[in-house]
Amino acid sequence: MSGFVELVRGLRLDPVPAALPRVAVRDAVAQDPAEEIALRFAEVAERAVHALELVAALEAEGLSDRQIQQRYGRRDAFELGEELFRRAHPEGQRASGGAVPKRVRLRLARGPARASAWGVPASRSALRGVLFALPGLAFVLAGRPPGSLWCAGAALLFCWSWSQGVAHLGYLRLGRGEPVAAAECLARGGVAGVVLWLPVAAVAAVLSGSPPAAVGYALGQGLYFASATALLVLGRERALVGPLMPVACGALWLLGARPAGLPGPPGPVGVGLVLLSLVLTVRAGWRETGRAAPWRGSTGRRERLAWREAGQAGVFGLAVAVLTLADVGPTTVALTLSMGGAEWFLARCRGATELALGRAAAAREFHGLVVGALLRCLGGYLLLVAGLAWLAERIWPGASGPGVGGLTALAAAIWSAQLLQSLGLLGRAALGVSAAALALVVTRLAGAEAGTAQAWVGVVAAGALFALAVLALATATRHR
């Protein structure tokens, strides 16, 4: 639209003004990505009498909120416009210009605002934690067939790893705004995982001398992982609540009978409840993904990169499974139940650092606010894990499994690795947990006791991964 535009007879609009000139930052790349746009909009900001004028100018340039988040690390055009207005009119600022205002510090302490992209309802996180933990109780209701330890363990490791890779591909497509493609990926990834696992399970059963029922047991694990992964990635947590109700009822029966010294559900009843939950879960997963179109197979560079990252996510899932299953007991259920809280504290930490990025006036202030938010969120999550583990020990007194200290160290390592994942450092997270899993295997082969090895490896891994998370989180450009 370079000429005059006549809307009605006699009414004309002037031509759209030329785009604002791009100003190059000399000698070095600006540490803050907003420096470049501040220079571009310097004249507009100087003449502006209100921040809304800059917001209108940003929107006139065609900058969407998503582009502003990715390029400049601000939440939306209003936040960026207010910052540009403050830069151009410093006379309205504090004379010190250094410290963060008290109201901003209080806001950081409370956590991210509701408008943040990292805002996650606590109720949803709690629901996801319960959904993560309920399948673990199925192992109590319907134990594995006798002599199938190696086959069942191999199935669990494979399904854990494969589902992590498939979930990563699904989340990538959801992030691109392609929900149909995400459903297609989850459907085909789940089916492929089950098909690949069947011959592997048969070979594992033969080599370990497991009965044929072990293959069926492994098949049930694969079907559940495929269906539940699809539902959780697509945000259909409520669709998974109904299918898991039979297992939940059996678990409540077991928990209520144990303190009174009464027997839990009879073996056939427990097996029936687990099979009913499995059938309902597969049905719910099929309803969400079963009508996907035929796979069209893309070979572009972006897809190759996505598959490589999916492989890293699979390695990450395998390593976490090895670390978690090294010493299994009732407290392990507490760790699984805390995964919903881990997601919530992770989102709260990312939201607080996003707010610090837009409010801190100097790099030192930003680092201090970021590390403070990280310590608060990690500390809150570890308190949750310790509380759940203590409760599990009270419910199952004298049971084997990791203690509160070892479980807390392992939880700190896993949470720090998940934080690296959220920062786009999947390779570092996978490498860190893989090194910890390898160290655990070597320690066990050397004759160390399972609980002791898991505790010490968890402590060392937690320290190393936390240090990596601090270094990554304190880099401002990492949050763009």
Side-chain angles (χ1 to χ4, degrees), residues 299-479:
T299 58
R301 180 178 179 275
R302 187 172 69 170
E303 290 301 317
R304 290 195 298 270
L305 179 61
W307 281 100
R308 187 183 72 179
E309 293 179 349
Q312 295 174 345
V315 172
F316 179 89
L318 177 62
V320 171
V322 171
L323 291 171
T324 305
L325 300 177
D327 189 19
V328 181
T331 52
T332 308
V333 177
L335 178 62
T336 308
L337 186 63
S338 73
M339 285 295 105
E343 292 183 354
W344 186 80
F345 279 106
L346 180 64
R348 191 174 180 84
C349 180
R350 291 304 311 276
T353 54
E354 177 192 74
L355 183 59
L357 183 67
R359 301 303 187 193
R364 181 175 299 179
E365 289 178 342
F366 174 72
H367 294 168
L369 291 172
V370 163
V371 173
L374 175 59
L375 290 174
R376 286 194 303 272
C377 293
L378 178 58
Y381 172 60
L382 295 184
L383 286 177
L384 173 64
V385 173
L388 291 174
W390 177 85
L391 183 61
E393 287 186 343
R394 300 286 81 76
I395 297 176
W396 287 282
S400 60
V404 176
L407 195 73
T408 303
L410 181 60
I414 295 175
W415 191 86
S416 300
Q418 290 175 330
L419 180 58
L420 289 174
Q421 269 191 304
S422 73
L423 292 167
L425 300 174
L426 177 57
R428 297 184 192 180
L431 181 61
V433 294
S434 297
L438 181 60
L440 178 61
V441 172
V442 171
T443 306
R444 290 285 289 129
L445 292 177
E449 192 267 336
T452 303
Q454 187 187 55
W456 280 107
V457 169
V459 169
V460 175
L465 289 168
F466 179 79
L468 290 175
V470 170
L471 292 175
L473 205 63
T475 304
T477 54
R478 181 64 60 186
H479 303 277

Side-chain angles (χ1 to χ4, degrees), residues 62-242:
L63 291 172
S64 64
D65 289 345
R66 184 178 182 84
Q67 291 172 325
I68 290 173
Q69 293 169 5
Q70 293 176 345
R71 297 179 187 177
Y72 307 112
R74 274 54 175 179
R75 187 178 297 113
D76 49 32
F78 290 95
E79 182 174 351
L80 183 56
E82 291 176 359
E83 181 174 342
L84 296 180
F85 184 79
R86 289 196 305 270
R87 287 172 181 252
H89 302 273
E91 64 276 4
Q93 304 300 313
R94 306 174 312 280
S96 61
V100 177
K102 182 179 180 180
R103 60 181 176 82
V104 175
R105 292 187 181 276
L106 292 175
R107 189 178 175 190
L108 280 170
R110 290 194 303 268
R114 290 181 179 272
S116 172
W118 291 96
V120 177
S123 58
R124 183 187 178 191
S125 298
L127 175 61
R128 288 174 68 88
V130 172
L131 295 178
F132 291 149
L134 279 179
L137 297 177
F139 290 94
V140 180
L141 292 175
R144 55 181 175 78
S148 62
L149 175 62
W150 289 102
C151 184
L156 190 56
L157 292 176
F158 176 86
C159 294
W160 203 326
S161 174
W162 185 268
S163 64
Q164 286 289 315
V166 173
H168 183 80
L169 292 175
Y171 279 124
L172 281 179
R173 283 155 176 77
L174 286 178
R176 298 173 190 165
E178 303 172 356
V180 176
E184 294 174 1
C185 175
L186 293 168
R188 279 151 187 80
V191 172
V194 174
V195 171
L196 288 174
W197 170 240
L198 280 177
V200 177
V203 173
V206 172
L207 294 178
S208 62
S210 301
V215 179
Y217 188 82
L219 175 62
Q221 291 186 72
L223 289 172
Y224 177 81
F225 267 90
S227 302
T229 298
L231 292 172
L232 291 172
V233 171
L234 294 175
R236 304 293 192 270
E237 293 89 358
R238 295 181 183 274
L240 191 55
V241 173

